[in-house]
């Protein structure tokens, strides 16, 4: 791709397409209405916009606080156990009541989705024996990584996997971790 410099001085003349080796056939119509040349990409967009867009995307990727996971979790299959019901989550300052969808496999793969009505996911947790990913509005920025390196505020949520694996057929599951209480009813 060939890039031309934009002419920003109105006193400089713009050469005609016939007299300029810089302007190729078909490029004369890329002159700005004022008679000044503009930097245009091959698709007709000003190159400045492409540069700014690329810079914005790069900045977002570099400065993003949320962690992006490349870990491959198992997908639920027919042999996974699925439970739907309600969760009441309580701390001294917060009470959350929402719909809960819990899936877990015999090998210890675990998924929990807490929602408030259709389409409003508050928390989504995927976890296997060594790795976890937490997303959703209630998880703020989200987190993913090895379970042993989880932030303290997520450790109660990540301990739920073991509770469900050991209490597969219970209609009610109550778990207390520090000042957090989890009460599931299915």
């Amino acid at each position: 791709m060939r890039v031309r410099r934009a002419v920003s001085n109105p006193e400089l003349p713009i050469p005609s397409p016939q007299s300029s080796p810089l302007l190729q056939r078909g490029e004369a119509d890329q002159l700005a209405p004022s008679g000044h040349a503009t930097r245009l990409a091959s698709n007709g967009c000003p190159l400045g916009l492409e540069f700014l867009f690329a810079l914005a995307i790069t900045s977002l990727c570099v400065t993003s606080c949320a962690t992006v996971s490349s870990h491959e979790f198992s997908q639920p299959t027919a042999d996974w156990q699925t439970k739907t019901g309600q969760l009441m989550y309580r701390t001294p300052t917060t009470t959350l009541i929402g719909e809960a969808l819990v899936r877990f496999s015999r090998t210890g793969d675990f998924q929990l989705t807490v929602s408030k009505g259709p389409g409003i996911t508050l928390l989504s947790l995927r976890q296997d024996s060594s790795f976890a990913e937490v997303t959703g509005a209630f998880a703020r920025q989200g987190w993913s990584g090895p379970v042993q390196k989880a932030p303290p505020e997520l450790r109660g949520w990540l301990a739920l996997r073991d509770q469900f694996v050991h209490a597969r057929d219970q209609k009610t599951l109550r778990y207390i971790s520090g000042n957090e209480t989890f009460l599931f009813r299915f």
Side-chain angles (χ1 to χ4, degrees):
M1 175 171 75
R2 215 167 92 204
V3 176
R4 288 175 281 144
R5 295 173 107 181
V7 177
S8 60
N9 188 342
E11 299 173 1
L12 294 177
I14 300 297
S16 71
Q18 295 79 17
S19 67
S20 173
L22 292 177
L23 293 174
Q24 301 295 319
R25 189 172 14 153
E27 292 181 333
D29 53 0
Q30 292 181 0
L31 293 176
S34 66
H36 297 293
T38 355
R39 276 172 63 175
L40 295 177
S42 59
N43 64 359
C45 293
L47 288 178
L49 289 178
E50 288 180 346
F51 174 75
L52 289 176
F53 182 73
L55 182 64
I57 294 296
T58 303
S59 297
L60 180 66
C61 291
V62 170
T63 61
S64 178
C65 294
T67 307
V68 177
S69 168
S70 62
H71 184 78
E72 295 269 340
F73 289 99
S74 297
Q75 294 300 315
T77 60
D79 64 334
W80 282 42
Q81 188 169 354
T82 301
K83 294 183 171 193
T84 58
Q86 288 191 328
L87 163 68
M88 183 182 72
Y89 168 78
R90 183 175 283 172
T91 68
T93 59
T94 305
T95 297
L96 167 74
I97 298 174
E99 300 298 315
L101 171 64
V102 178
R103 295 181 183 138
F104 51 94
S105 71
R106 292 180 189 156
T107 59
D109 298 304
F110 178 72
Q111 293 183 354
L112 167 65
T113 303
V114 180
S115 59
K116 197 73 169 171
I120 302 173
T121 301
L122 299 175
L123 183 117
S124 178
L125 183 148
R126 295 189 303 170
Q127 184 178 357
D128 57 28
S129 61
S130 62
F131 203 87
E133 177 182 66
V134 183
T135 59
F138 199 65
R140 294 189 184 128
Q141 297 171 342
W143 178 85
S144 67
V147 175
Q148 300 83 4
K149 295 184 179 183
E153 59 270 12
L154 292 178
R155 291 192 182 138
W157 290 95
L158 297 178
L160 291 172
R161 173 185 164 267
D162 292 334
Q163 300 299 312
F164 277 99
V165 168
H166 291 82
R168 292 182 179 269
D169 297 322
Q170 292 185 356
K171 299 281 185 200
T172 302
L173 177 81
R174 182 183 181 106
Y175 175 66
I176 298 173
S177 174
N179 65 356
E180 298 176 296
T181 300
F182 301 86
L183 177 61
F184 289 89
R185 291 198 176 139
F186 302 104

